[in-house]
Amino acid sequence: SPCSPLISNQATMAKSLAILALLGVAATASAALPVFPNDWSSEQMQGIAINQGGIVNADGSICCPAQSPQCKIQTAFSEGMQYNDFTHNRAAFKNPDGSGVVTLFDDGKEYGVDASGACQSYCPVQGNMTAGLIPVNGTSDLGSVMYNGKKAEHYQWSVKVPIINITMQVSDFYAVLGASSATPLAEIDSIEPMGQHIGTQNTTYVTFVAGTPSAKHFTVTGKATCKLDKSCSQSSDDAPPASDVAPRDYVIRKHLGMGPLEVAPVY
């Protein structure tokens, strides 16, 4: 079909553009940040819409004009469970069928697993798991708003290219503030590589339960024979040949083929 629906605010957590890992959060004065539990489980919905040359219609659909053969529209939607176990330095995203991605920071790897927990492929990861859901530095508190019928606090931050100060992404985050901790509602990311808006990535926290998730969600078998995934930045064709090379395109894919949706640059 030449038309695709825009992703609404009913969407979920996904990872940012891969190139954002090389960038920094905009250096602005940070607001007093909400406190979230370190360990939690959340049912999440995620949606991404990339619009490269399309026209947004009054009904919210996006169409490629017939006279624009280079126009490209991509949309994707997924849902699953996110498990964060900061206490044991691990995290997992599971699809409704039980497959997903398990990140074991003590192993230095993230594993794509099937429903039984058998490893299908892996990518290396560095460092330890970090607590919190929003950046410690560079986040602004934009005040109280109504979000989907709930009173929420609105936070915003941006990611920019250092030195030249070009915005790559702007994120809006909504949370309900409690007496001792906050409950996240949604994160909406405006994808703006080199300052040009090309799409939106939305994450909705349908449920959010504090507490250490069960160890069963982090099961990985067959580690010794598990192979390096071709999408890993260390060995992938997606990796830029030089820091000043601009991507020729962007694609939506599932992380490690089994995890949450992500927008990946293609070089």
Side-chain angles (χ1 to χ4, degrees), residues 41 44 49 51 59 61 83 99 115 121 136 175 184 186 214 231 242 247:
S41 304
Q44 299 179 344
N51 176 9
D59 62 358
S61 62
Y83 302 99
S99 65
S121 64
V136 174
S214 170
S231 70

Side-chain angles (χ1 to χ4, degrees), residues 1 8 12 18 22 57 71 94 107 111 115 132 165 178 184 202 220 237-238 241 245:
S1 170
S8 71
T12 195
L22 304 175
N57 299 312
C71 175
K94 294 297 182 70
D107 289 5
Y111 303 92
N165 205 37
N202 295 348
V220 181
D237 290 338
D238 289 340
V245 175

Side-chain angles (χ1 to χ4, degrees), residues 26-207:
T28 60
S30 295
L33 301 182
V35 176
F36 297 100
N38 285 335
D39 296 354
W40 50 267
S41 304
S42 174
E43 178 187 352
Q44 299 179 344
M45 293 191 298
Q46 177 186 6
I48 300 178
I50 295 180
N51 176 9
Q52 295 171 281
I55 297 175
V56 181
N57 299 312
D59 62 358
S61 62
I62 315 173
C63 293
C64 281
Q67 66 273 23
S68 300
Q70 300 303 316
C71 175
K72 186 176 181 180
I73 297 169
Q74 302 176 70
T75 60
F77 176 84
S78 72
E79 60 181 320
M81 290 293 301
Q82 178 71 33
Y83 302 99
N84 273 34
D85 186 356
F86 182 78
T87 300
H88 298 98
N89 208 27
R90 58 192 182 184
F93 176 87
K94 294 297 182 70
N95 297 298
D97 66 358
S99 65
V101 172
V102 177
T103 305
L104 303 180
F105 291 91
D106 288 346
D107 289 5
K109 295 178 180 180
E110 54 182 354
Y111 303 92
V113 300
D114 64 15
S116 70
C119 185
Q120 306 300 299
S121 64
Y122 78 91
C123 276
V125 294
Q126 296 180 344
N128 290 313
M129 188 174 182
T130 56
L133 294 173
I134 60 181
V136 174
N137 298 312
T139 298
S140 299
D141 185 346
L142 301 185
S144 179
V145 298
M146 294 300 295
Y147 184 85
N148 284 350
K150 295 182 179 180
K151 183 179 179 181
E153 200 72 8
H154 179 193
Y155 300 92
Q156 186 180 82
W157 64 89
S158 61
V159 179
K160 297 188 177 184
V161 179
I163 303 176
I164 59 176
N165 205 37
I166 295 179
T167 299
M168 299 294 286
Q169 179 171 302
V170 177
S171 297
D172 291 278
F173 192 93
Y174 301 88
V176 175
L177 303 184
S180 58
S181 65
T183 301
L185 295 178
E187 179 179 332
I188 303 173
D189 301 318
S190 176
I191 304 169
E192 305 176 8
M194 306 308 291
Q196 180 182 4
H197 178 80
I198 65 166
T200 302
Q201 177 172 314
N202 295 348
T203 298
T204 293
Y205 295 76
V206 180
T207 63

